[in-house]
């Protein structure tokens, strides 16, 4: 054992406490459930110490000290609510508000604004400032972001983000004194692929996403914790929706995956949910049919087929959906399950370590772990060969791709199945001539789990309220089919399906939806499943 | 013992700024001796023993500051000379750079040898174009004479000096603001610790010293610490440049022993208050200092004495105001400066400096109320000691002291519809005469 002190004993508001050494007062206080107000502090960024709202009283200083930069030490005594501490923080709030426009009623940040929060606890109820306020610019900083300068409290979080996290350095403070405001250099707008994070971390409504401007009030929206389906990284997100429609996606903290950040694709790419070419209705032989007819048609096409079956899954499917496919395949006498995916995107990595994967699918590892390691490679090759030889009697295709960029060869092969059932998100050539076309559920519309590239299993959740789905999900339809085939007495929830998965696939055996919690779990064998997976056929 | 000028003794003589002249007067002898013969630690001890205090404003003991620089480090060490002189009322470093630039280089070499520095920067105020040219010439002369560059004075000690021009920001005179600016970033002060001596420019240990501080070094080496300590008060000794401006007959820079009496300085050296008027107020240490009322001016000009008098020596920029001065207008002028110059990062300074200017402006232009005086005091209280650098204090000190010591001027402006100057301006604007 080392002889070094492993804790520091200090006093917080009269109570002796112990904390790990090296922490700032603010960090250490947080471990004791005391949140000290802050604006410029952000756990993911360097310490600027400029806003001064985190003032506390220390026995080691005649003046108040800032708790975001001052570190704890043996014997330190900190008062967070003494007269000196409160006066210091109240002072800062009074200064913060004198030039602030206080236009909360039309500000998109209202409801989650740190300035609002602190002015409730530290703000005077009336202002002693009767002079004219300073006016600062409102302008676009890039295609997606604008600055409402009058609201800027010059905390420099956004500037430090572009310096330290992306290394792109687009943002800077221009002017001095109370004219200070965030800007970009002429002709060099903020356009990096993580840019949207500056909107999340702006403590006030100074950085506004053009996408969300005037779209909804914060308090009206429903907030759903989920996982981004934009790539195999699986960043944690919060989907904010109104009446079942996504209004905004923001980053959700997960130190193990994405820290506090998400990329702009993850943030903005949900408009496909409402795309004009989205498949929303079932059809048979090109003719629209109602949902009930579609269900019985699915049941009939599968149960009446006695020949060779192929199933083509996609890595947008949840682990639960994949498990149901496995069940289906095992009830059919001659069935092979292969997987396909769209072309790779652009991988990107940033100085602080944030990476965006070129694999645009959230659950490739899940396919590997549940369907099989060779699903994309040898099995896929085999299925294609059988299709091309005209040997496949029934093909069930899953094409839940928001941006289908699919190989022509595959699409030709698909067309050679004698009977074809297609679940698809977007309409496209793979849907043409299908005997039965069914709408796919998009990632933000389903409950389940994804296994990311690092073997971490995480929950995805739907933003649509129960009973509000416009069409039955794959989870429902596949279970109904299994019931029809005499395979299970009744349908269960996605958590129930997960329980079945856990009891049938070793890698998932210790898990349940509740063990995954808000930030997921690494599967013991998940990593190896990912590591040894082949590429597409 | 009669005081003999040291720093400016040759000012006014022909070609006093040239290397030839400087060397003829025995210049660079101390630097050469230091480089060739002196032990660095002994040099630091000598400067400590001399009680030399920084001349940039804060008055920190120079030898002590040098000793904070880590002795053993893999990093380069730097000296950054603070030549940003922008404190209102201060123009002493300018005289040295224009008239005696080699004295500064002499001091730079001594400091570099003592601390083990091989690269010094001179961060010079952007508006000082002439001083910049003079320094540039001096540096070039020194390089061609082997006083700078590789193996100076034929020793194995290397020293480069680089001039860097500021772009006209007062805040770049604050040491950490200067260092960030030198790094090519926006000139903003940084949180301390880490102090520059440990982590300064480019993340390396850095000595920051004022021009005048360094200019004292050759003399300390020449006469020794004991003799030096006898010039003026022992705790704060040495020859000192005092800048006198404002309502005096003979404004200028005067070299006198530290601790000279302020009234003697004004009356004897600066020719007394001009136009036969009487003294109203003096700001003794640059505009950032607390104002002194005329009857507080019988004070010695050194750090301790001015502290006791409730003000500070600061940069020794002495601004004299006669009895015709309206203190509301004087304060407005000062507040405009700090509002303009605050870098804007800390909330109390960013907002407080603007608020103060707007408040004083309203009083000066006739919209003042009695409660405003208390409000000025409150705003000052809420600024002092709550920011990253001392600019917020520098703005609050003149404000609170001028309001406190000259309430009658403020009451007059509040009750009579503004300050005299603003009343004149509005009368002129409607076609009336002025009564200057
Ligand atoms: C707002 C502000 C402005 C300053 N401006 C100057 C300046 O123009 N020149 C200077 O030498 N020191 C200035 N200082 C003081 C420096 O921060 C620093 O204390 C000094 O350069 C150290 O050198 P010295 O120890 O030799 O005095 C300023 C300080 C503050 C807070
Ligand atoms: S725009 Fe927002 S994040 Fe950036 S400095 Fe201003 S308040 Fe801070
Ligand atoms: S990096 Fe990948 S998972 Fe993360 S937000 Fe972007 S697309 Fe989504
Ligand atoms: S006190 Fe003023 S000048 Fe100094 S760092 Fe803060 S805002 Fe800038
Ligand atoms: S949070 Fe500590 S100074 Fe801003």
């Amino acid at each position: 054992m080392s002889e070094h002190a492993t804790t520091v004993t200090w006093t917080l508001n009269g109570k002796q406490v112990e904390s790990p050494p090296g922490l700032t007062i603010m960090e250490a206080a947080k471990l004791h459930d005391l949140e000290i107000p802050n604006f410029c502090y952000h756990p993911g960024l360097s310490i600027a110490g400029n806003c001064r709202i985190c003032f506390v009283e220390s026995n080691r200083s005649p003046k108040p000290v800032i708790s975001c930069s001052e570190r704890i030490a043996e014997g330190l005594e900190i008062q967070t609510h003494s007269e000196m501490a409160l006066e210091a923080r109240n002072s800062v709030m009074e200064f913060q508000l004198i030039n602030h426009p206080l236009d909360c009623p039309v500000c998109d940040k209202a409801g989650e604004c740190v300035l609002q929060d602190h002015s409730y606890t530290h703000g005077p109820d009336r202002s002693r400032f009767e002079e004219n306020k300073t006016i600062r610019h409102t302008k676009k900083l890039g295609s997606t972001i604008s600055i409402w300068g009058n609201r800027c409290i010059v905390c420099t979080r956004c500037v430090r983000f572009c310096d330290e996290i992306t290394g792109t350095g687009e943002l800077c403070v221009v002017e001095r004194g109370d004219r200070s405001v965030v800007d970009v250099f002429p002709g060099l707008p903020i356009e990096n692929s993580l840019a949207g994070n500056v909107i999340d971390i702006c403590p006030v409504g100074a950085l506004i996403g053009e996408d969300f401007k005037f779209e909804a009030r914060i308090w009206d929206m429903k907030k759903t914790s989920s996982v981004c389906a934009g790539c195999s990284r699986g960043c944690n997100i919060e989907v904010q929706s109104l009446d079942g429609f996504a209004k905004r996606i923001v980053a959700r903290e997960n130190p193990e995956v994405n820290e506090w950040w998400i990329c702009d694709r993850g943030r903005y790419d949900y408009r496909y949910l409402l795309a004009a070419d989205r498949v929303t209705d079932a059809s048979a032989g090109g003719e629209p049919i109602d949902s009930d007819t579609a269900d019985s048609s699915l049941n009939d096409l599968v149960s009446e087929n006695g020949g060779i079956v192929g199933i083509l899954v996609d890595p947008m499917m949840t682990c639960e959906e994949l498990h149901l496919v496995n069940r289906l395949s095992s009830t059919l006498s001659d069935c092979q399950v292969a997987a396909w995916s769209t072309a790779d995107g652009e991988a990107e990595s940033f100085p602080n370590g944030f990476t965006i994967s070129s694999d645009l699918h959230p659950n490739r590892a899940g396919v590997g772990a549940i369907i099989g390691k060779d699903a994309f490679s040898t099995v896929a090759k085999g299925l294609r060969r059988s299709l091309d030889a005209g040997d496949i009697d029934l093909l069930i295709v899953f094409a839940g791709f928001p941006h289908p960029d699919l190989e022509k060869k595959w699409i030709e092969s698909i067309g050679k199945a004698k009977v074809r059932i297609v679940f698809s998100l977007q309409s496209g050539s793979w849907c043409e001539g299908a005997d039965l076309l069914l709408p796919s559920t998009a990632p933000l519309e389903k409950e389940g789990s994804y296994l990311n590239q690092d073997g971490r299993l995480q929950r995805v959740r739907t933003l649509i309220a129960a009973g509000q789905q416009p069409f039955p999900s794959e989870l429902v339809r596949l279970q109904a089919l299994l019931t029809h085939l005499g395979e299970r007495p009744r349908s269960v929830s996605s958590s129930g399906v997960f329980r079945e998965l856990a009891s049938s696939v070793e890698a998932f055996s210790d898990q349940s939806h509740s063990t995954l919690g808000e930030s997921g779990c690494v599967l013991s064998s998940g990593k190896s499943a990912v590591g040894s997976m082949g590429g597409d056929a | 013992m009669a005081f003999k000028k040291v720093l400016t003794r040759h000012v006014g003589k022909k070609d006093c700024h040239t290397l030839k002249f400087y060397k003829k007067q025995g210049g660079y002898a101390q630097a050469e001796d230091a480089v060739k013969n002196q032990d660095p630690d002994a040099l630091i001890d000598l400067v400590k023993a001399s009680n030399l205090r920084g001349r940039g404003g804060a008055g920190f003991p120079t030898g002590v500051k040098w000793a904070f620089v880590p002795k053993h480090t893999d990093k380069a060490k730097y000296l950054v000379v603070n030549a940003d002189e922008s404190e209102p009322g201060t123009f002493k470093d300018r005289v040295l750079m224009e008239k005696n630039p080699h004295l500064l280089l002499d001091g730079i070499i001594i400091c570099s040898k003592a601390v083990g520095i091989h690269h010094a920067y001179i961060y010079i105020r952007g508006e000082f174009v002439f001083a910049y040219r003079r320094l540039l010439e001096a540096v070039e002369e020194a390089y061609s004479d082997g006083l700078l560059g590789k193996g100076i004075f034929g020793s194995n000690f290397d020293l480069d000096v680089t001039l860097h021009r500021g772009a006209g920001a007062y805040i770049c005179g604050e040491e950490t603001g200067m260092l960030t600016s030198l790094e090519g970033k926006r000139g903003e002060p940084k949180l301390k610790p880490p102090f520059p001596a440990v982590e300064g420019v480019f993340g390396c240990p850095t000595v920051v010293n004022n021009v005048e501080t360094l200019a004292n070094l050759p003399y300390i080496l020449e006469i020794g610490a004991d003799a030096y300590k006898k010039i003026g008060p022992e705790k704060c000794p040495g020859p000192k440049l005092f800048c006198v401006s404002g309502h005096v007959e003979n404004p200028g820079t005067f070299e006198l022993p530290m601790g000279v009496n302020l009234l003697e300085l004004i009356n004897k050296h600066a020719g007394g208050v001009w136009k036969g008027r009487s003294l109203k107020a003096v700001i003794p240490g640059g505009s950032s200092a607390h104002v002194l009322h005329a009857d507080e001016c019988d004070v010695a000009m050194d750090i301790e004495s001015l502290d006791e008098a409730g003000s500070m020596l600061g940069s020794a920029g002495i601004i004299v105001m006669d009895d015709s001065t309206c203190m509301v207008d004087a304060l407005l002028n000062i507040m405009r400066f700090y509002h303009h110059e605050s870098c804007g990062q800390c909330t109390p300074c960013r907002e407080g400096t603007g608020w103060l200017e707007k408040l004083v402006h309203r009083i000066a232009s006739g919209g003042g109320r009695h409660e405003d005086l208390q409000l000025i005091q409150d705003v000052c209280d809420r600024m002092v000691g709550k920011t990253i650098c001392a600019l917020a204090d520098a703005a609050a000190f003149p404000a609170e002291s001028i309001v406190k010591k000259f309430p009658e001027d403020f009451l007059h402006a509040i009750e009579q519809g503004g300050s005299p100057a603003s009343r004149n301006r509005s009368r002129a604007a409607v076609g009336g005469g002025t009564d200057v």
Side-chain angles (χ1 to χ4, degrees):
Chain A
M1 284 299 290
S2 112
E3 308 245 319
H4 291 296
T6 49
T7 57
V8 172
T9 309
W10 58 296
T11 307
L12 179 60
N13 292 332
K15 225 177 81 191
Q16 240 193 27
V17 290
E18 298 200 337
S19 305
L23 297 183
T24 61
I25 297 167
M26 183 180 287
E27 289 162 343
K30 196 167 178 184
L31 294 182
H32 291 280
D33 290 327
L34 182 75
E35 189 98 33
I36 300 176
N38 56 76
F39 291 120
C40 67
Y41 168 80
H42 189 286
L45 303 172
S46 65
I47 292 165
N50 56 30
C51 77
R52 322 301 284 183
I53 192 63
C54 65
F55 270 137
V56 295
E57 181 173 351
S58 160
N59 63 335
R60 304 254 163 102
S61 165
K63 302 187 283 191
V65 300
I66 51 170
S67 55
C68 67
S69 96
E70 207 82 16
R71 290 180 194 277
I72 53 163
E74 205 59 37
L76 186 73
E77 290 172 24
I78 293 299
Q79 296 282 346
T80 61
H81 285 74
S82 63
E83 205 177 309
M84 181 203 271
L86 281 173
E87 159 60 20
R89 294 204 297 273
N90 290 347
S91 303
V92 172
M93 272 318 293
E94 176 171 44
F95 285 129
Q96 284 292 20
L97 294 175
I98 64 171
N99 279 308
H100 194 82
L102 296 169
D103 55 350
C104 311
V106 293
C107 176
D108 290 302
K109 197 76 178 187
E112 59 175 15
C113 173
V114 188
L115 192 66
Q116 277 186 328
D117 295 347
H118 295 340
S119 69
Y120 279 113
T121 48
H122 293 81
D125 49 5
R126 53 172 50 218
S127 176
R128 297 190 288 174
F129 181 81
E130 295 180 25
E131 323 307 321
N132 287 335
K133 290 185 191 252
T134 303
I135 304 298
R136 291 171 291 166
H137 62 219
T138 298
K139 61 184 268 198
K140 276 192 127 181
L141 299 178
S143 55
T144 51
I145 301 170
S146 56
I147 171 98
W148 294 53
N150 289 340
R151 299 175 186 153
C152 175
I153 59 167
V154 208
C155 70
T156 68
R157 277 185 179 188
C158 58
V159 177
R160 282 175 282 146
F161 179 86
C162 292
D163 288 347
E164 297 164 15
I165 307 298
T166 63
T168 46
E170 296 99 331
L171 298 184
C172 59
V173 176
V174 294
E175 272 295 345
R176 293 185 299 185
D178 56 13
R179 288 91 59 217
S180 300
V181 68
V182 165
D183 203 350
V184 290
F185 290 99
L188 294 172
I190 174 166
E191 298 293 357
N192 68 69
S193 1
L194 300 184
N197 292 295
V198 299
I199 305 165
D200 286 358
I201 61 173
C202 179
V204 295
L207 292 175
I208 292 292
E210 285 298 311
D211 180 75
F212 179 66
K213 189 170 69 185
F214 305 140
E215 278 290 315
R217 305 306 328 209
I218 303 295
W219 51 88
D220 285 336
M221 291 192 293
K222 179 181 154 204
K223 292 168 185 164
T224 310
S225 294
S226 195
V227 164
C228 176
C231 80
S232 58
R233 183 138 199 256
C235 292
N236 290 205
I237 55 171
E238 182 174 280
V239 187
Q240 304 185 348
S241 57
L242 194 61
D243 304 329
F245 292 101
K247 286 289 176 191
R248 171 171 91 154
I249 290 176
V250 298
R252 184 164 61 83
E253 180 185 343
N254 187 336
E256 303 298 325
V257 183
N258 52 312
E259 298 188 293
W260 301 268
W261 326 119
I262 55 172
C263 79
D264 277 10
R265 184 148 47 78
R267 181 180 302 272
Y268 298 123
D269 185 23
Y270 55 87
R271 294 292 157 105
Y272 65 78
L273 294 173
L274 301 170
D277 57 354
R278 187 155 176 204
V279 177
T280 49
D281 297 307
S283 58
E287 292 302 314
I289 51 174
D290 65 35
S291 196
D292 292 341
T293 317
D295 289 341
S296 49
S297 170
L298 172 66
N299 292 345
D300 295 346
L301 285 176
V302 177
S303 58
E304 283 161 17
N305 189 294
I308 304 174
V309 181
I311 303 179
L312 195 53
V313 297
D314 70 57
M316 308 299 297
M317 294 171 80
T318 61
C319 293
E320 292 74 4
E321 290 165 340
L322 292 168
H323 171 71
L324 293 174
V325 166
N326 252 358
R327 292 291 307 275
L328 175 63
S329 127
S330 63
T331 66
L332 302 171
S333 54
D334 191 352
C335 177
Q336 40 188 312
V337 186
W340 67 334
S341 57
T342 67
D344 276 354
E346 194 84 30
E348 220 180 324
S349 53
F350 295 87
N352 89 314
F354 192 97
T355 56
I356 302 172
S357 166
S358 60
D359 177 3
L360 304 182
H361 310 90
N363 206 22
R364 187 183 292 270
V367 172
I370 297 164
I371 304 296
K373 291 188 165 72
D374 308 326
F376 289 96
S377 50
T378 43
V379 182
K381 232 177 243 147
L383 175 61
R384 199 140 93 198
R385 217 176 296 122
S386 307
L387 280 164
D388 290 342
D391 290 344
I392 299 292
D393 296 302
L394 170 66
L395 179 69
I396 305 176
V397 179
F398 292 89
F401 307 109
H403 303 287
D405 177 4
L406 298 161
E407 255 184 282
K408 242 211 180 102
K409 274 196 294 179
W410 256 124
I411 293 174
E412 280 165 20
S413 304
I414 284 169
K416 293 175 185 157
K418 294 190 183 112
V419 176
R420 176 164 38 115
I421 301 170
V422 178
F423 286 86
S424 190
L425 195 69
Q426 313 280 2
S427 50
S429 49
W430 56 96
C431 305
E432 281 160 25
D435 299 276
L436 177 63
L437 175 64
L438 296 162
S440 272
T441 328
L444 296 181
E445 299 166 344
K446 53 190 173 190
E447 291 286 327
S449 56
Y450 282 150
L451 188 61
N452 83 353
Q453 59 188 18
D454 302 312
R456 174 174 294 267
L457 186 66
Q458 307 186 100
R459 281 280 276 128
V460 287
R461 293 190 180 83
T462 174
L463 57 88
I464 300 175
Q468 300 287 305
Q469 286 94 341
F471 53 81
S473 67
E474 288 90 318
L475 197 86
V476 169
R477 281 201 156 120
L478 287 171
Q479 291 198 74
L481 175 58
L482 287 168
T483 307
H484 179 76
L485 296 175
E487 271 305 305
R488 53 164 61 201
R490 58 184 169 81
S491 293
V492 295
S493 68
S494 71
S495 304
V497 175
F498 188 91
R499 271 195 294 278
E500 290 172 29
L501 168 64
S503 61
S504 61
V505 179
E506 171 67 22
F508 296 80
S509 58
D510 303 329
Q511 306 294 345
S512 73
H513 274 183
S514 53
T515 59
L516 299 185
E518 287 297 301
S519 44
C521 284
V522 176
L523 296 190
S524 38
S525 54
K527 196 107 188 177
S528 57
V530 182
S532 57
M533 261 176 43
D536 281 13
Chain B
M1 197 179 69
F3 175 72
K4 283 201 319 243
K5 285 193 207 174
V6 177
L7 310 172
T8 57
R9 68 187 135 179
H10 302 301
V11 167
K13 296 190 186 141
K14 190 171 175 321
D15 292 335
C16 64
H17 61 280
T18 60
L19 178 61
K20 209 169 133 200
F21 182 97
Y22 186 70
K23 275 193 134 176
K24 212 150 99 200
Q25 309 297 330
Y28 286 113
Q30 301 308 326
E32 179 165 10
D33 180 52
V35 167
K36 286 184 170 165
N37 311 320
Q38 301 281 339
D39 170 57
D41 288 342
L43 284 170
I44 296 182
D45 289 342
L46 172 70
V47 174
K48 270 191 195 165
S50 76
N51 286 353
L52 172 64
R53 312 267 296 260
R55 306 295 200 233
F60 198 82
T62 304
V64 176
K65 186 190 282 188
W66 293 0
F68 286 151
V69 176
K71 289 241 153 22
H72 306 289
T73 165
D74 299 339
K75 294 181 180 172
K77 300 178 203 172
Y78 293 100
L79 165 63
V80 180
V81 181
N82 195 338
D84 193 55
E85 187 166 71
S86 342
E87 176 80 12
T90 315
F91 35 82
K92 61 190 180 65
D93 298 341
R94 175 180 175 179
V95 174
L96 290 174
M97 291 186 285
E98 290 179 358
K99 311 285 188 199
N100 207 357
H102 285 286
L103 178 64
L104 174 59
L105 296 180
D106 206 342
I108 287 174
I109 296 170
I110 293 168
C111 168
S112 301
K113 168 70 186 194
V115 186
I117 288 164
H118 300 291
H119 199 156
Y121 288 88
I122 304 175
Y123 188 103
I124 181 166
R125 176 177 172 171
E127 293 92 333
F128 282 179
V129 178
F130 184 60
Y132 169 73
R133 291 209 187 113
R134 275 277 158 91
L135 260 181
L136 199 57
E137 280 167 31
V139 168
E140 278 163 6
E141 280 181 314
Y143 267 103
S144 12
D145 207 43
L147 310 177
L148 291 177
K150 289 247 170 291
I152 63 175
F153 301 108
S155 72
N156 57 5
F157 190 82
D158 303 337
L159 178 62
D160 284 307
V161 171
T162 307
L163 295 190
H164 181 96
R165 296 182 65 195
Y170 170 63
I171 197 55
C172 292
E174 195 281 338
E175 54 186 4
T176 54
M178 179 174 67
L179 299 181
T180 41
S181 167
L182 187 59
E183 288 170 348
K185 301 178 191 142
R186 177 178 160 90
E188 281 179 344
K190 282 199 258 192
L191 287 179
K192 289 181 256 189
F195 288 92
V198 178
E199 199 181 315
V201 75
F202 312 124
C204 298
T206 304
V207 171
V208 175
N209 272 135
N210 171 260
V211 170
E212 187 189 349
T213 312
L214 294 165
N216 269 272
L217 296 172
Y219 191 57
I220 293 174
L221 266 64
E222 186 187 328
I223 66 166
D226 288 337
Y228 186 82
K229 266 193 298 204
K230 294 207 175 82
I231 307 168
E234 188 177 341
K235 278 185 172 171
C236 175
K240 176 77 191 103
L241 298 183
F242 297 97
C243 316
V244 185
S245 63
H247 301 159
V248 289
E249 291 291 353
N250 179 27
T253 305
F254 304 94
E255 182 175 348
L256 291 162
M258 193 66 97
V260 64
N261 181 281
L262 176 57
L263 286 179
E264 181 192 328
L265 184 50
I266 294 171
N267 293 329
K268 192 166 142 204
H269 300 279
V273 178
W274 71 354
K275 301 180 184 174
R277 294 185 187 155
S278 59
L279 188 63
K280 178 163 186 175
V282 177
I283 297 183
S287 63
S288 307
H290 282 101
V291 72
L292 295 176
H293 198 276
D295 49 14
E296 297 173 301
C297 290
D298 188 7
V299 59
M301 291 293 290
D302 61 74
I303 292 174
E304 275 71 26
S305 310
L306 281 161
D307 271 355
E308 252 166 66
S311 187
M312 64 178 189
L313 178 67
S315 62
I318 298 156
I319 304 168
V320 178
M321 289 171 263
D322 72 18
D323 56 4
S324 74
T325 311
C326 166
M327 296 309 282
V328 180
D329 287 333
L331 180 58
L332 178 56
N333 194 348
I334 297 171
M335 291 302 99
R336 195 174 288 140
F337 174 78
Y338 289 103
H339 181 200
H340 188 249
E341 297 295 338
S342 160
C343 85
Q345 33 170 357
C346 323
T347 309
C349 175
R350 176 181 69 242
E351 305 297 339
T353 50
W355 196 355
L356 286 176
E357 189 202 333
K358 287 174 182 176
L359 272 167
V360 180
H361 183 266
R362 183 158 53 70
I363 296 172
S365 47
R369 284 179 293 244
H370 287 101
E371 314 86 84
D372 291 334
L373 301 185
Q374 184 58 46
L375 187 52
I376 290 175
Q377 182 62 53
D378 289 354
V379 171
C380 291
D381 288 345
R382 293 191 143 188
M383 292 167 71
V384 171
K386 297 199 182 61
T387 51
I388 293 176
C389 88
L391 189 142
D393 300 14
F397 290 163
E400 61 185 13
S401 59
I402 288 178
V403 171
K404 196 156 129 214
K405 293 184 185 176
F406 300 93
E408 62 283 358
D409 286 22
F410 288 82
L411 293 176
H412 192 264
I414 289 167
E415 284 155 16
Q416 305 298 319
S419 68
S422 86
R423 289 206 307 276
N424 282 342
R425 268 194 300 277
S426 48
R427 223 172 307 158
V430 295
T434 55
D435 57 1
V436 175

